[in-house]
Amino acid sequence: MLTSIVGINWGDEGKGRMVDLLSSDYDVVCRYQGGNNAGHTVINERGKFILNLLPSGILRENVACVMGPGMVVDIRHLAGEMRRLREAGVKISPENLKISDRAVVTMPYNVAQDCLEEERLADKKFGSTKRGIAPVYADKYLKKAFRIGELKEWDRLKKRVPDIVDWKNLTLQGAYGAEGTSVEEILHYFEQFGLPLSDYITDTGLYLSEAHRQGKKILFEAQLGALRDIDFGIYPYTSSSNTIAAYAPIGAGVPNLKLDRTIGIMKAYSTCVGEGPFTAEYFGEKAHTLREAGGEYGAATGRPRRVGPFDAVASRYGIRMQGADEIALTKLDVLSGFKELEICTAYRLDGKKLTEFPFPDLLDSCEPVFETVQGWNRDISACRKKGDLPKEALAYIARLEEECACKIRYVSVGAERDAFVEM
Ligand code: GDP
Ligand code: MG
């Protein structure tokens, strides 16, 4: 069985936490896109973990993890992440971690390019996480990137480096007037952080196909949300890869396989990190109260997240683009104590009411249309059954289901593994 767990909104919906919860039923968990710009927070009996590159299944002993060919891998960052987890007692070996030979290596100069470009843009900056993600995906499509599998072909790899250095310095030195890279720097990076990975590198497509044939259950974990998809998100304020479920089999290395089920992770209110249009955004005191209630600071960057009420227009679109079969609604507990809650049910554009998400360039001119519903004034973080939830919370969930025309199957009421209600 193949399941994908994907974000319905702008990211940070709590995907890591839901993958950690649901992975107990799976044999393999696979990340299929993005890089260490992801920040997936998992809290369980072993402590709090923030995962950037490793699939969230790494915290389960009987789960094998795959980093697919759709990913970009900063090997220095990976070394640090593996070290931190090992120090916390997590076992990582070539048995439970497989890295695709076709995944692309994020280079130190990609990170430099990312920073140089944000500096150049100054007040027009995109709000990049500065992890080199856009430059390394650009290199991939320019066919100038290094792939992880090349690390196992050292002599061949060494021959490619000088040409890439010459080419990259045209940009670093020529365009930005910055310091260039060198053959020594790159070889050192590969030697130090790449060679130790040799035993982990494999054809993950073959591995997953075989696992599937043996009847193993495979879970695909997305990074970010539908609205950050390079093709279907709020371009150019998107990530540089496809975050949608339809890409999961491709980014994992098994385009021959079809998903059986897609679980969309949707937040009970809205958050957005970085720049770009965010129609239902709250400002001032209202924003501050919600941000503090939800602890909305980026897991990867620590940046305060922009916040707003639940946006049904964007979520409906996210559900459609993800092809979500069911929803896990997260962070409902954060809304406890608000007397009234707003839901953005439509946008207004040039005097007209929009209920479908528009071409992103029009978002700047859209105004949110809010509906107000009653809140609940007691803590729900200890609720574990549907019947434990206050009637106003049930009404809120039902209202979202109706707006989104999708079944809400799980509701999470806390960050800990067991803090959820199955509906
Ligand atoms: P991801 O990127 O989608 O994996 O999400 P993040 O980890 O970036 O952000 C979600 C944050 O909310 C993390 O700090 C989680 O620990 C926390 N979280 C997840 N689910 C819940 C929940 O139901 N209630 C509360 N209060 N926090 C949650
Ligand atoms: Mg996150």
Side-chain angles (χ1 to χ4, degrees):
M1 188 171 80
L2 274 69
T3 304
S4 61
I5 294 197
V6 292
I8 296 301
N9 310 118
W10 294 263
D12 303 320
E13 297 93 346
K15 292 174 295 297
R17 171 241 194 289
M18 288 311 293
V19 172
D20 176 64
L21 171 68
L22 298 172
S23 56
S24 64
D25 294 339
Y26 288 82
D27 303 297
V28 185
V29 176
C30 176
R31 270 275 309 267
Y32 61 87
Q33 47 80 223
N36 56 316
N37 52 335
H40 295 173
T41 316
V42 177
I43 300 173
N44 58 30
E45 72 284 354
R46 293 152 99 175
K48 176 174 175 173
F49 301 92
I50 293 180
L51 301 166
N52 303 126
L53 282 164
L54 292 167
S56 304
I58 200 77
L59 301 169
R60 296 238 182 222
E61 289 215 348
N62 299 319
V63 170
C65 287
V66 168
M67 296 170 61
M71 286 189 76
V72 289
V73 183
D74 181 323
I75 51 180
R76 187 200 321 248
H77 191 94
L78 181 61
E81 197 169 319
M82 287 166 80
R83 196 193 59 240
R84 276 193 301 280
L85 286 182
R86 283 193 176 121
E87 282 167 5
V90 178
K91 288 200 190 80
I92 307 175
S93 74
E95 282 303 301
N96 72 340
L97 178 66
K98 319 268 173 200
I99 307 173
S100 168
D101 49 5
R102 289 169 188 265
V104 164
V105 186
T106 306
M107 301 296 291
Y109 53 70
N110 294 133
V111 179
Q113 273 183 285
D114 211 347
C115 297
L116 288 166
E117 181 57 12
E118 285 284 284
E119 257 167 55
R120 189 190 72 84
L121 287 168
D123 57 352
K124 291 186 186 140
K125 70 180 168 16
F126 275 97
S128 162
T129 49
K130 297 186 184 166
R131 304 284 166 97
I133 307 296
V136 69
Y137 273 111
D139 286 1
K140 167 175 168 169
Y141 287 99
L142 286 167
K143 294 165 283 185
K144 300 278 194 191
F146 292 103
R147 302 214 280 180
I148 294 271
E150 290 181 79
L151 294 165
K152 293 200 351 185
E153 307 290 334
W154 189 247
D155 291 336
R156 210 185 301 227
L157 171 64
K158 254 165 102 173
K159 288 199 195 106
R160 269 192 75 207
V161 174
D163 288 346
I164 298 287
V165 166
D166 288 346
W167 170 74
K168 188 52 74 179
N169 282 343
L170 292 174
T171 305
L172 294 173
Q173 297 171 327
Y176 290 103
E179 204 181 316
T181 184
S182 66
V183 172
E184 297 70 42
E185 185 190 19
I186 291 180
L187 290 180
H188 184 63
Y189 178 67
F190 288 150
E191 268 164 2
Q192 199 178 358
F193 303 109
L195 295 186
L197 294 175
S198 283
D199 293 344
Y200 296 84
I201 301 170
T202 188
D203 178 345
T204 58
L206 195 60
Y207 173 78
L208 289 173
S209 290
E210 186 55 24
H212 180 65
R213 205 185 53 74
Q214 292 168 5
K216 294 206 170 137
K217 289 166 121 187
I218 302 170
L219 187 61
F220 298 106
E221 174 182 17
Q223 173 223 0
L224 293 167
L227 298 167
R228 301 292 189 188
D229 182 273
I230 179 82
D231 291 306
F232 303 108
I234 49 171
Y235 188 88
Y237 298 98
T238 56
S239 199
S240 303
S241 60
N242 288 105
T243 61
I244 51 168
Y247 186 74
I250 299 174
V254 281
N256 49 313
L257 302 182
K258 288 194 177 54
L259 294 173
D260 297 299
R261 178 182 178 216
T262 295
I263 305 172
I265 312 298
M266 184 168 91
K267 211 161 179 163
Y269 53 95
S270 305
T271 61
C272 168
V273 178
E275 312 299 317
F278 185 38
T279 308
E281 183 166 10
Y282 277 167
F283 297 96
E285 192 51 40
K286 237 169 153 177
H288 178 77
T289 313
L290 184 53
R291 182 179 304 117
E292 293 305 313
E296 295 299 346
Y297 294 87
T301 57
R303 290 185 288 181
R305 293 172 180 152
R306 297 157 74 192
V307 298
F310 181 80
D311 183 337
V313 182
S315 299
R316 261 196 304 272
Y317 176 75
I319 288 171
R320 174 158 63 90
M321 299 325 278
Q322 294 289 18
D325 300 304
E326 52 194 8
I327 294 294
L329 185 72
T330 55
K331 303 195 85 163
L332 190 67
D333 56 302
V334 170
L335 299 182
S336 298
F338 288 87
K339 222 168 142 217
E340 290 182 327
L341 297 169
E342 285 177 314
I343 299 174
C344 172
T345 53
Y347 298 163
R348 198 176 304 284
L349 178 67
D350 299 331
K352 287 198 209 73
K353 208 165 147 184
L354 289 187
T355 50
E356 292 297 337
F357 197 71
F359 184 64
D361 294 49
L362 299 175
L363 286 168
D364 271 348
S365 318
C366 288
E367 296 285 334
V369 177
F370 292 133
E371 172 186 305
T372 304
V373 297
Q374 237 193 316
W376 53 94
N377 58 8
R378 72 175 164 88
D379 182 14
I380 58 169
S381 57
C383 295
R384 294 293 177 269
K385 295 194 301 290
K386 192 174 169 180
D388 297 342
L389 290 166
K391 68 175 192 318
E392 296 84 358
L394 289 170
Y396 184 76
I397 296 165
R399 187 77 193 91
L400 302 196
E401 262 182 342
E402 184 185 14
E403 279 293 325
C404 296
C406 194
K407 168 76 188 157
I408 294 177
R409 170 93 190 278
Y410 308 94
V411 174
S412 83
V413 292
E416 304 73 27
R417 195 179 260 175
D418 68 339
F420 76 100
V421 174
E422 193 164 345
M423 302 294 287

